[in-house]
Amino acid sequence: MLETLGLTKSFDGHLALDHLDLRVEAGEVFCLLGANGAGKTTTIHLFLGFLAPTSGRAVVDGLDVAEEPLATKSRMAYIPEQVQLYSNLTGLENLAYFAELGGHGDLTNSELLAFLSQAGLEADAASRRVHTYSKGMRQKVAIAMALAQSAGALLLDEPTSGLDPHAANTLCRLLRELAESGTAVLMATHDLFRAKEVGHRLGIMKHGRLLDVLDADALDHAEVERIYLEHMRT
């Protein structure tokens, strides 16, 4: 479970996040929508402990991120817009390396390959060097990392940017499967279409404030777009 309580962040007098109250339950995909500067990435970075809050709290499974940074990090996995892997290592070698860093060095190659397969990476790709991978394939390795560490929460920043429609569809399917297994998923995105496809709830942000929360299943794509554009115009 991910939660913010009055979470606020200022940079040199600029209010980047304004008293955000947000809760993402286990088994839920929550998509944050908004233009650049809306506060989406700031929210994710505060959960990860990359930034210190000006006021308020970011909470992971009941633990305050500022007070228990290591314990909260161990409960989360993060997929940035550009996944950074070691290009001269294979997908399997990257997964093994990062799993060991995360305290899961006892996993066998068979287990690691099973995580890569579960994440949707084709079997022959696991033994290829990552410099041959597409962006979508790199993201699958990152998802396998989340699976390997049994992360209870997954945070993603613009994950569909630069993906072709097939890769974006595959990613959204994987995120829904992770949610169905009990993972809390928080995704920041500009992509209204994919947000509607994958999200259970959609939060619309502007100037650091959460303006609205929509039930994705209760609206069609045109209604989501209409409500979003209305908030952007006001």
Side-chain angles (χ1 to χ4, degrees):
M1 181 270 291
L2 301 167
E3 187 175 19
T4 65
L5 302 166
L7 190 63
T8 301
K9 181 62 182 178
S10 294
F11 296 99
D12 298 324
H14 170 68
L15 196 59
L17 198 64
D18 186 3
H19 295 85
L20 177 66
D21 291 314
L22 174 68
R23 186 181 178 95
V24 184
E25 300 287 353
E28 177 181 26
V29 179
F30 192 106
C31 295
L32 286 177
L33 303 170
N36 290 336
K40 306 185 306 296
T41 296
T42 298
T43 300
I44 288 176
H45 286 182
L46 285 162
F47 269 120
L48 295 167
F50 294 169
L51 299 171
T54 301
S55 63
R57 302 168 64 210
V59 177
V60 180
D61 290 343
L63 302 176
D64 189 300
V65 171
E67 295 175 358
E68 310 234 26
L70 295 180
T72 53
K73 281 185 176 69
S74 70
R75 288 167 161 78
M76 294 182 289
Y78 171 50
I79 300 181
E81 183 174 353
Q82 298 295 332
V83 175
Q84 299 298 317
L85 300 173
Y86 289 98
S87 61
N88 288 327
L89 298 180
T90 67
L92 177 60
E93 288 168 342
N94 268 279
L95 179 56
Y97 175 71
F98 285 107
E100 185 167 359
L101 286 182
H104 299 279
D106 57 339
L107 292 170
T108 66
N109 275 358
S110 294
E111 290 171 320
L112 295 171
L113 286 168
F115 288 130
L116 290 168
S117 177
Q118 186 179 347
L121 191 70
E122 294 181 0
D124 65 333
S127 59
R128 283 168 36 201
R129 297 190 187 281
V130 164
H131 68 77
T132 68
Y133 281 19
S134 66
K135 177 180 178 180
M137 293 167 71
R138 288 170 177 262
Q139 287 182 331
K140 290 173 183 177
V141 175
I143 289 173
M145 291 176 186
L147 294 169
Q149 73 180 69
S150 301
L154 179 61
L155 298 93
L156 307 97
D157 197 356
E158 300 295 348
T160 62
S161 173
L163 293 184
D164 63 61
H166 176 72
N169 179 268
T170 299
L171 174 67
C172 290
R173 176 179 55 78
L174 291 169
L175 295 181
R176 273 284 186 156
E177 289 174 0
L178 283 171
E180 288 168 5
S181 70
T183 304
V185 179
L186 177 62
M187 182 172 96
T189 183
H190 289 103
D191 191 336
L192 299 183
F193 177 82
R194 295 299 174 187
K196 157 63 181 158
E197 288 296 296
V198 71
H200 295 95
R201 290 190 296 153
L202 314 176
I204 299 175
M205 296 191 72
K206 184 178 179 181
H207 302 320
R209 298 180 60 225
L210 183 64
L211 301 180
D212 204 350
V213 177
L214 311 177
D215 179 350
D217 292 336
L219 301 167
D220 62 26
H221 289 92
E223 290 171 318
V224 170
E225 182 178 47
R226 176 184 58 78
I227 293 169
Y228 176 82
L229 291 175
E230 284 177 356
H231 281 300
M232 293 304 104
R233 284 193 290 264
T234 58

Short mmCIF file of all heavy atoms in Angstrom, two decimals, residues 32-81:
data_model
loop_
_atom_site.label_atom_id
_atom_site.label_comp_id
_atom_site.label_asym_id
_atom_site.label_seq_id
_atom_site.Cartn_x
_atom_site.Cartn_y
_atom_site.Cartn_z
N LEU A 32 -1.42 8.51 -12.49
CA LEU A 32 -1.37 9.95 -12.32
C LEU A 32 -1.25 10.60 -13.69
O LEU A 32 -0.30 10.33 -14.44
CB LEU A 32 -0.18 10.35 -11.45
CG LEU A 32 -0.27 10.06 -9.96
CD1 LEU A 32 1.04 10.46 -9.27
CD2 LEU A 32 -1.43 10.83 -9.32
N LEU A 33 -2.21 11.46 -14.02
CA LEU A 33 -2.23 12.16 -15.30
C LEU A 33 -1.94 13.63 -15.08
O LEU A 33 -2.32 14.21 -14.06
CB LEU A 33 -3.60 12.01 -15.95
CG LEU A 33 -4.11 10.59 -16.21
CD1 LEU A 33 -5.57 10.63 -16.62
CD2 LEU A 33 -3.27 9.91 -17.25
N GLY A 34 -1.29 14.25 -16.05
CA GLY A 34 -1.03 15.68 -15.95
C GLY A 34 0.09 16.09 -16.87
O GLY A 34 0.88 15.26 -17.34
N ALA A 35 0.16 17.39 -17.14
CA ALA A 35 1.21 17.93 -18.01
C ALA A 35 2.55 17.92 -17.28
O ALA A 35 2.63 17.63 -16.07
CB ALA A 35 0.84 19.35 -18.43
N ASN A 36 3.61 18.24 -18.00
CA ASN A 36 4.91 18.40 -17.37
C ASN A 36 4.81 19.47 -16.28
O ASN A 36 4.18 20.51 -16.47
CB ASN A 36 5.96 18.83 -18.40
CG ASN A 36 6.30 17.72 -19.37
OD1 ASN A 36 6.12 16.54 -19.07
ND2 ASN A 36 6.77 18.09 -20.56
N GLY A 37 5.42 19.19 -15.13
CA GLY A 37 5.36 20.13 -14.02
C GLY A 37 4.15 19.99 -13.13
O GLY A 37 3.96 20.77 -12.20
N ALA A 38 3.33 18.97 -13.40
CA ALA A 38 2.11 18.79 -12.60
C ALA A 38 2.40 18.24 -11.21
O ALA A 38 1.57 18.37 -10.30
CB ALA A 38 1.14 17.87 -13.32
N GLY A 39 3.56 17.58 -11.04
CA GLY A 39 3.90 17.00 -9.75
C GLY A 39 3.95 15.49 -9.74
O GLY A 39 4.18 14.87 -8.70
N LYS A 40 3.77 14.87 -10.90
CA LYS A 40 3.72 13.41 -10.99
C LYS A 40 5.07 12.79 -10.61
O LYS A 40 5.13 11.90 -9.73
CB LYS A 40 3.33 12.97 -12.40
CG LYS A 40 2.05 13.57 -12.93
CD LYS A 40 1.64 13.02 -14.28
CE LYS A 40 2.70 13.12 -15.36
NZ LYS A 40 3.03 14.53 -15.69
N THR A 41 6.13 13.22 -11.27
CA THR A 41 7.45 12.65 -11.00
C THR A 41 7.92 13.01 -9.59
O THR A 41 8.54 12.19 -8.91
CB THR A 41 8.46 13.15 -12.05
OG1 THR A 41 8.08 12.67 -13.34
CG2 THR A 41 9.87 12.65 -11.74
N THR A 42 7.60 14.21 -9.14
CA THR A 42 7.96 14.61 -7.77
C THR A 42 7.33 13.66 -6.76
O THR A 42 7.97 13.23 -5.79
CB THR A 42 7.50 16.05 -7.49
OG1 THR A 42 8.19 16.94 -8.39
CG2 THR A 42 7.81 16.47 -6.05
N THR A 43 6.08 13.29 -6.99
CA THR A 43 5.39 12.35 -6.10
C THR A 43 6.14 11.02 -6.03
O THR A 43 6.40 10.48 -4.95
CB THR A 43 3.95 12.11 -6.58
OG1 THR A 43 3.24 13.35 -6.58
CG2 THR A 43 3.23 11.11 -5.69
N ILE A 44 6.50 10.49 -7.19
CA ILE A 44 7.22 9.22 -7.23
C ILE A 44 8.58 9.34 -6.55
O ILE A 44 8.97 8.46 -5.76
CB ILE A 44 7.37 8.75 -8.70
CG1 ILE A 44 6.01 8.28 -9.22
CG2 ILE A 44 8.40 7.64 -8.82
CD1 ILE A 44 6.00 7.88 -10.68
N HIS A 45 9.29 10.42 -6.79
CA HIS A 45 10.62 10.60 -6.17
C HIS A 45 10.53 10.74 -4.66
O HIS A 45 11.44 10.33 -3.94
CB HIS A 45 11.32 11.80 -6.80
CG HIS A 45 11.82 11.54 -8.18
ND1 HIS A 45 12.51 12.47 -8.92
CD2 HIS A 45 11.74 10.43 -8.97
CE1 HIS A 45 12.83 11.96 -10.10
NE2 HIS A 45 12.36 10.72 -10.15
N LEU A 46 9.45 11.30 -4.16
CA LEU A 46 9.26 11.39 -2.71
C LEU A 46 8.99 10.01 -2.12
O LEU A 46 9.49 9.68 -1.03
CB LEU A 46 8.12 12.35 -2.39
CG LEU A 46 8.47 13.83 -2.56
CD1 LEU A 46 7.20 14.68 -2.66
CD2 LEU A 46 9.33 14.33 -1.40
N PHE A 47 8.23 9.18 -2.80
CA PHE A 47 8.02 7.81 -2.33
C PHE A 47 9.35 7.04 -2.29
O PHE A 47 9.59 6.27 -1.36
CB PHE A 47 7.05 7.07 -3.24
CG PHE A 47 5.60 7.16 -2.84
CD1 PHE A 47 4.66 7.72 -3.68
CD2 PHE A 47 5.18 6.67 -1.60
CE1 PHE A 47 3.33 7.80 -3.31
CE2 PHE A 47 3.86 6.75 -1.22
CZ PHE A 47 2.93 7.32 -2.07
N LEU A 48 10.18 7.26 -3.28
CA LEU A 48 11.44 6.52 -3.38
C LEU A 48 12.52 7.07 -2.45
O LEU A 48 13.58 6.45 -2.31
CB LEU A 48 11.94 6.55 -4.83
CG LEU A 48 11.06 5.82 -5.84
CD1 LEU A 48 11.48 6.17 -7.26
CD2 LEU A 48 11.13 4.31 -5.63
N GLY A 49 12.26 8.22 -1.85
CA GLY A 49 13.27 8.82 -0.97
C GLY A 49 14.34 9.58 -1.72
O GLY A 49 15.37 9.96 -1.14
N PHE A 50 14.13 9.83 -3.03
CA PHE A 50 15.09 10.62 -3.80
C PHE A 50 15.05 12.08 -3.37
O PHE A 50 16.02 12.82 -3.55
CB PHE A 50 14.79 10.54 -5.30
CG PHE A 50 14.96 9.17 -5.90
CD1 PHE A 50 14.51 8.91 -7.19
CD2 PHE A 50 15.56 8.14 -5.20
CE1 PHE A 50 14.67 7.66 -7.76
CE2 PHE A 50 15.73 6.88 -5.77
CZ PHE A 50 15.27 6.64 -7.05
N LEU A 51 13.90 12.51 -2.85
CA LEU A 51 13.69 13.86 -2.35
C LEU A 51 13.17 13.79 -0.93
O LEU A 51 12.51 12.82 -0.55
CB LEU A 51 12.67 14.61 -3.21
CG LEU A 51 12.98 14.82 -4.69
CD1 LEU A 51 11.74 15.38 -5.40
CD2 LEU A 51 14.15 15.76 -4.87
N ALA A 52 13.47 14.83 -0.16
CA ALA A 52 12.91 14.94 1.19
C ALA A 52 11.69 15.86 1.12
O ALA A 52 11.73 16.91 0.46
CB ALA A 52 13.94 15.52 2.14
N PRO A 53 10.59 15.50 1.78
CA PRO A 53 9.40 16.36 1.72
C PRO A 53 9.62 17.66 2.48
O PRO A 53 10.35 17.72 3.47
CB PRO A 53 8.32 15.51 2.39
CG PRO A 53 9.07 14.56 3.29
CD PRO A 53 10.37 14.29 2.60
N THR A 54 8.97 18.71 2.02
CA THR A 54 8.96 19.97 2.76
C THR A 54 8.05 19.84 3.97
O THR A 54 8.34 20.34 5.06
CB THR A 54 8.48 21.11 1.84
OG1 THR A 54 9.35 21.19 0.70
CG2 THR A 54 8.47 22.44 2.57
N SER A 55 6.93 19.14 3.77
CA SER A 55 6.03 18.80 4.87
C SER A 55 5.19 17.60 4.43
O SER A 55 5.19 17.22 3.27
CB SER A 55 5.13 19.98 5.25
OG SER A 55 4.29 20.33 4.17
N GLY A 56 4.49 17.02 5.39
CA GLY A 56 3.67 15.85 5.09
C GLY A 56 4.49 14.57 5.07
O GLY A 56 5.69 14.57 5.35
N ARG A 57 3.82 13.49 4.69
CA ARG A 57 4.45 12.17 4.77
C ARG A 57 4.15 11.33 3.52
O ARG A 57 3.07 11.42 2.97
CB ARG A 57 3.93 11.41 6.00
CG ARG A 57 4.14 12.10 7.33
CD ARG A 57 3.35 11.41 8.42
NE ARG A 57 3.81 10.05 8.64
CZ ARG A 57 3.03 9.05 9.06
NH1 ARG A 57 1.74 9.25 9.26
NH2 ARG A 57 3.54 7.85 9.27
N ALA A 58 5.14 10.53 3.15
CA ALA A 58 4.95 9.45 2.18
C ALA A 58 5.08 8.15 2.95
O ALA A 58 6.06 7.95 3.70
CB ALA A 58 5.98 9.53 1.07
N VAL A 59 4.12 7.24 2.78
CA VAL A 59 4.06 6.03 3.60
C VAL A 59 3.96 4.81 2.69
O VAL A 59 3.20 4.79 1.73
CB VAL A 59 2.82 6.09 4.54
CG1 VAL A 59 2.70 4.82 5.35
CG2 VAL A 59 2.92 7.31 5.45
N VAL A 60 4.75 3.79 3.00
CA VAL A 60 4.74 2.53 2.26
C VAL A 60 4.49 1.40 3.25
O VAL A 60 5.27 1.20 4.19
CB VAL A 60 6.08 2.29 1.53
CG1 VAL A 60 6.04 0.97 0.77
CG2 VAL A 60 6.39 3.44 0.59
N ASP A 61 3.39 0.71 3.09
CA ASP A 61 3.02 -0.39 4.00
C ASP A 61 3.07 0.06 5.47
O ASP A 61 3.54 -0.67 6.34
CB ASP A 61 3.93 -1.59 3.80
CG ASP A 61 3.68 -2.29 2.48
OD1 ASP A 61 2.62 -2.06 1.88
OD2 ASP A 61 4.56 -3.06 2.04
N GLY A 62 2.60 1.27 5.70
CA GLY A 62 2.54 1.79 7.06
C GLY A 62 3.83 2.39 7.57
O GLY A 62 3.87 2.91 8.70
N LEU A 63 4.90 2.35 6.79
CA LEU A 63 6.21 2.88 7.20
C LEU A 63 6.45 4.24 6.54
O LEU A 63 6.24 4.40 5.33
CB LEU A 63 7.33 1.92 6.82
CG LEU A 63 7.25 0.50 7.40
CD1 LEU A 63 8.38 -0.36 6.85
CD2 LEU A 63 7.30 0.54 8.93
N ASP A 64 6.91 5.20 7.33
CA ASP A 64 7.22 6.53 6.82
C ASP A 64 8.54 6.48 6.05
O ASP A 64 9.56 6.02 6.57
CB ASP A 64 7.33 7.51 7.99
CG ASP A 64 7.44 8.95 7.53
OD1 ASP A 64 8.39 9.28 6.81
OD2 ASP A 64 6.58 9.76 7.91
N VAL A 65 8.52 6.95 4.80
CA VAL A 65 9.70 6.89 3.95
C VAL A 65 10.86 7.67 4.55
O VAL A 65 12.02 7.23 4.51
CB VAL A 65 9.37 7.41 2.53
CG1 VAL A 65 10.64 7.57 1.70
CG2 VAL A 65 8.39 6.48 1.83
N ALA A 66 10.58 8.85 5.11
CA ALA A 66 11.65 9.68 5.68
C ALA A 66 12.28 9.03 6.91
O ALA A 66 13.48 9.18 7.15
CB ALA A 66 11.10 11.06 6.03
N GLU A 67 11.49 8.29 7.68
CA GLU A 67 11.99 7.68 8.91
C GLU A 67 12.60 6.30 8.67
O GLU A 67 13.50 5.88 9.40
CB GLU A 67 10.86 7.57 9.93
CG GLU A 67 10.32 8.93 10.39
CD GLU A 67 9.12 8.78 11.31
OE1 GLU A 67 8.68 7.62 11.55
OE2 GLU A 67 8.62 9.82 11.79
N GLU A 68 12.11 5.57 7.68
CA GLU A 68 12.59 4.21 7.42
C GLU A 68 12.92 4.03 5.93
O GLU A 68 12.27 3.27 5.22
CB GLU A 68 11.52 3.20 7.84
CG GLU A 68 11.00 3.43 9.24
CD GLU A 68 11.10 2.19 10.10
OE1 GLU A 68 11.96 1.34 9.84
OE2 GLU A 68 10.31 2.07 11.02
N PRO A 69 13.95 4.75 5.45
CA PRO A 69 14.22 4.73 4.01
C PRO A 69 14.62 3.37 3.47
O PRO A 69 14.20 2.99 2.37
CB PRO A 69 15.36 5.75 3.85
CG PRO A 69 15.98 5.84 5.21
CD PRO A 69 14.88 5.63 6.18
N LEU A 70 15.42 2.61 4.19
CA LEU A 70 15.85 1.31 3.69
C LEU A 70 14.72 0.30 3.70
O LEU A 70 14.54 -0.45 2.73
CB LEU A 70 17.03 0.79 4.51
CG LEU A 70 18.33 1.61 4.44
CD1 LEU A 70 19.41 0.98 5.31
CD2 LEU A 70 18.81 1.71 2.99
N ALA A 71 13.94 0.29 4.76
CA ALA A 71 12.83 -0.65 4.86
C ALA A 71 11.78 -0.38 3.78
O ALA A 71 11.23 -1.31 3.19
CB ALA A 71 12.18 -0.58 6.24
N THR A 72 11.51 0.90 3.48
CA THR A 72 10.51 1.21 2.47
C THR A 72 11.05 0.92 1.06
O THR A 72 10.30 0.43 0.21
CB THR A 72 10.05 2.68 2.57
OG1 THR A 72 11.19 3.55 2.56
CG2 THR A 72 9.27 2.90 3.86
N LYS A 73 12.32 1.20 0.83
CA LYS A 73 12.90 0.90 -0.49
C LYS A 73 12.83 -0.59 -0.80
O LYS A 73 12.64 -0.99 -1.95
CB LYS A 73 14.35 1.37 -0.57
CG LYS A 73 14.52 2.86 -0.82
CD LYS A 73 15.99 3.21 -0.99
CE LYS A 73 16.18 4.69 -1.35
NZ LYS A 73 15.85 5.58 -0.25
N SER A 74 12.99 -1.41 0.22
CA SER A 74 12.98 -2.86 0.01
C SER A 74 11.59 -3.37 -0.40
O SER A 74 11.46 -4.48 -0.90
CB SER A 74 13.44 -3.59 1.27
OG SER A 74 12.47 -3.50 2.31
N ARG A 75 10.57 -2.55 -0.18
CA ARG A 75 9.20 -2.94 -0.50
C ARG A 75 8.74 -2.46 -1.87
O ARG A 75 7.63 -2.75 -2.29
CB ARG A 75 8.24 -2.40 0.57
CG ARG A 75 8.34 -3.13 1.90
CD ARG A 75 7.63 -2.35 3.00
NE ARG A 75 7.32 -3.17 4.15
CZ ARG A 75 8.18 -3.51 5.09
NH1 ARG A 75 9.45 -3.12 4.99
NH2 ARG A 75 7.81 -4.27 6.12
N MET A 76 9.60 -1.68 -2.55
CA MET A 76 9.20 -1.06 -3.81
C MET A 76 10.17 -1.40 -4.93
O MET A 76 11.34 -1.69 -4.71
CB MET A 76 9.18 0.47 -3.65
CG MET A 76 8.13 1.00 -2.71
SD MET A 76 8.14 2.82 -2.65
CE MET A 76 9.69 3.11 -1.76
N ALA A 77 9.65 -1.35 -6.15
CA ALA A 77 10.47 -1.40 -7.36
C ALA A 77 10.10 -0.19 -8.21
O ALA A 77 8.97 0.29 -8.16
CB ALA A 77 10.23 -2.69 -8.12
N TYR A 78 11.08 0.28 -8.97
CA TYR A 78 10.91 1.52 -9.73
C TYR A 78 11.32 1.29 -11.17
O TYR A 78 12.41 0.75 -11.44
CB TYR A 78 11.75 2.62 -9.09
CG TYR A 78 11.84 3.91 -9.88
CD1 TYR A 78 10.72 4.55 -10.37
CD2 TYR A 78 13.09 4.51 -10.08
CE1 TYR A 78 10.81 5.74 -11.06
CE2 TYR A 78 13.20 5.71 -10.77
CZ TYR A 78 12.06 6.32 -11.26
OH TYR A 78 12.16 7.51 -11.95
N ILE A 79 10.47 1.71 -12.10
CA ILE A 79 10.80 1.65 -13.53
C ILE A 79 10.72 3.07 -14.08
O ILE A 79 9.63 3.62 -14.24
CB ILE A 79 9.84 0.71 -14.29
CG1 ILE A 79 9.93 -0.71 -13.73
CG2 ILE A 79 10.20 0.71 -15.78
CD1 ILE A 79 9.04 -1.71 -14.42
N PRO A 80 11.88 3.69 -14.34
CA PRO A 80 11.89 5.05 -14.89
C PRO A 80 11.55 5.02 -16.38
O PRO A 80 11.40 3.95 -16.99
CB PRO A 80 13.33 5.51 -14.66
CG PRO A 80 14.13 4.25 -14.72
CD PRO A 80 13.23 3.16 -14.13
N GLU A 81 11.47 6.20 -16.98
CA GLU A 81 11.15 6.28 -18.41
C GLU A 81 12.21 5.56 -19.24
O GLU A 81 11.89 4.88 -20.21
CB GLU A 81 11.05 7.75 -18.84
CG GLU A 81 10.65 7.92 -20.29
CD GLU A 81 10.40 9.36 -20.68
OE1 GLU A 81 10.42 10.23 -19.79
OE2 GLU A 81 10.19 9.61 -21.88
#
